[in-house]
Amino acid sequence: MFCNQCEQTAKGIGCEKVGVCGKSENVAGLQDLLTHAVQGLAIVATAARKVNVADPAVDQFIVEATFACLTNVDFDPARFETWIRKAVELRNDLRTRAEAAGATIDSTAAALTYLPAVDRAGLEAQGAALNLIQSLDPNEDLRSLKQIALYGLRGLAAYTDHAAILGKKDDAVYAFIEQALADLTRTDLGLNDLIALVLKCGEVNLKAMELLDAGNTGTYGHPVPTPVPLGHKAGKAILVSGHDLRDLHLLLEQTKDKGIHVYTHGEMLPCHGYPELKKYPHFYGHYGTAWQNQQKEFAEFPGAILFTTNCIQKPRESYQDNVFTTGLVGWPGLTHIGENKDFTPVIERALALPGFPSDEERGEVLTGFARNTVLGVADKVIDGVKSGAIKHFFLVGGCDGAKPGRNYYTEFVEQVPQDCIVLTLACGKFRFFDKKLGDIGGIPRLLDVGQCNDAYSAIQIAVALANAFNCGVNDLPLSLVLSWYEQKAVIILLTLLHLGIKDIRLGPSLPAFISPNVLNVLVENFSIKPIAATPQEDLQAILA
């Protein structure tokens, strides 16, 4: 295997025996093989569109299969075998229909004629022999750009899937994902072509995030500032992790009047700010911190645990019987809740477990400062800037992780001057989410914008402020200091680059899949830079 798609990749180069994420060599090969098979399907789907042969089921499958290969989503080889075979079945069926309608499919890509082995062992051997990353392109720089595009597409697929679950779709987004996956098999694309493709990924992702924002707010209302307890109530308990609001909503409905308190974990924290979710009295508080701490935190949780979407780690034996998965997330041996979303097994397990023996107070944190809330007090923010009460805004957020160097973000926020405001989103905030930073004229100095899925809100806040001051976003007293771990962070970064935002500080290390020459392009065109050795250095440079 060779995998370098996440920030924690071995030795900063690539995982070759087992993934730092816990991905085995055989699962890594199956994921590569699924990507290969889906590329073949994408070639056909792109050609089929030209003769008006559309298949929404194919479109959605491509998105889901691409999302399933994102870091910490699914580790179950049985599911990957099913998806690989389905990809080829869909490809052959769609090709027959498309060619009958007059489509010409002239690609010579191996993905177009790939045939799966007869058993899983054979599939694993095919995946190992494929050597997906090296096969993208022999040229280091072209391969680097193709990797950036592929990993960006996995993040884009995630947001597209999240939005589709809430009924928000745009055919143009699906068409682009298919075209881009197909283009990555081509050998005639040069440096400028691939740079354009990478930036186009960012442009299309802005639309996908807009759809997701509309799905979340249209279904559950605009988030409002909400204090969230960090302690717990006596009684039975269910913990929900991941990102999916609909799964949480369905679980809350199914647990009404059952004497079970439902808690959030990780990126589910911002769900407490949504009015349609807040109305459930048994939706109580937040337990734990970021995804990488789950093995310790889950071992101490006395109830059932439900994973939605991504960020699962290998469950320890002490609590694995308490863990359930749904949607695309999966781990071999765990009970998976299917598309019927009947959470009865989760509820029964929670009722069988002891729950918390007594109430416990651990303070609270504030969430719910998405765009609607922040823009609702825009006049106060603008007045604060004009009066000098607010000197600077920092967006400090992104993915958290276990690799050393992430204490930088805690120290950075602690050292931000008192006349500055920190906006945050995604699980990177768990490095400092419980810090008491006070306020400026009634505006909290630490504003939790939401999940990584809510990056659209942060962008809209920046655009609205730029419009209010009649300037560009790059002219605002705003600095972005981002952490990254997986491919949702990659696609958000591409969206920011598409928007022309410059001087982004990125860490704790730069992606291993970016070649020196490609990095130079990013530095020259966008002034992207790694975080400094200490927060003091960056703060001094930013505020100079």
Side-chain angles (χ1 to χ4, degrees), residues 308-472:
T308 72
T309 65
N310 52 309
C311 295
I312 193 171
Q313 282 186 307
K314 180 180 180 179
R316 290 182 175 174
E317 186 176 349
S318 62
Y319 66 82
Q320 65 181 7
D321 291 341
N322 303 338
V323 182
F324 301 80
T325 60
T326 192
L328 293 175
V329 68
W331 190 279
L334 298 184
T335 299
H336 186 79
I337 307 300
E339 293 181 5
N340 64 353
K341 299 296 181 181
D342 180 358
F343 293 116
T344 299
V346 184
I347 295 168
E348 290 177 344
R349 185 61 180 166
L351 292 172
L353 290 166
F356 290 106
S358 60
D359 293 355
E360 182 177 46
E361 297 292 333
R362 291 189 178 181
E364 60 186 26
V365 294
L366 273 174
T367 192
F369 291 95
R371 60 183 171 85
N372 207 51
T373 294
V374 175
L375 297 181
V377 294
D379 54 340
K380 294 182 180 179
V381 173
I382 294 166
D383 289 344
V385 173
K386 289 180 176 179
S387 70
I390 300 174
K391 296 290 188 184
H392 207 85
F393 298 90
F394 292 92
L395 175 59
V396 186
C399 303
D400 203 359
K403 190 175 179 180
R406 292 181 181 268
N407 285 341
Y408 164 97
Y409 296 94
T410 309
E411 296 168 6
F412 187 98
V413 170
E414 289 175 338
Q415 295 173 27
V416 166
Q418 294 292 315
D419 55 5
C420 299
I421 286 178
V422 176
L423 295 93
T424 189
L425 77 166
C427 64
K429 64 171 161 276
F430 289 109
R431 292 282 167 173
F432 48 80
F433 79 127
D434 56 352
K435 301 294 180 185
K436 307 303 179 185
L437 302 186
D439 65 89
I440 299 176
I443 300 171
R445 290 188 56 236
L446 180 60
L447 301 175
D448 180 5
V449 178
Q451 300 178 336
C452 66
N453 298 11
D454 297 309
Y456 180 78
S457 265
I459 291 170
Q460 293 307 304
I461 290 169
V463 170
L465 288 175
N467 290 338
F469 287 107
N470 196 28
C471 66

Side-chain angles (χ1 to χ4, degrees), residues 4-20:
N4 63 358
Q5 70 182 20
C6 85
E7 190 271 334
Q8 295 186 175
T9 192
K11 300 178 182 179
I13 299 172
C15 296
E16 297 180 324
K17 295 182 178 179
V18 63
V20 173

Side-chain angles (χ1 to χ4, degrees), residues 507-521:
S509 62
L510 294 178
F513 50 82
I514 295 183
S515 69
N517 288 333
V518 172
L519 179 59
N520 285 339
V521 171

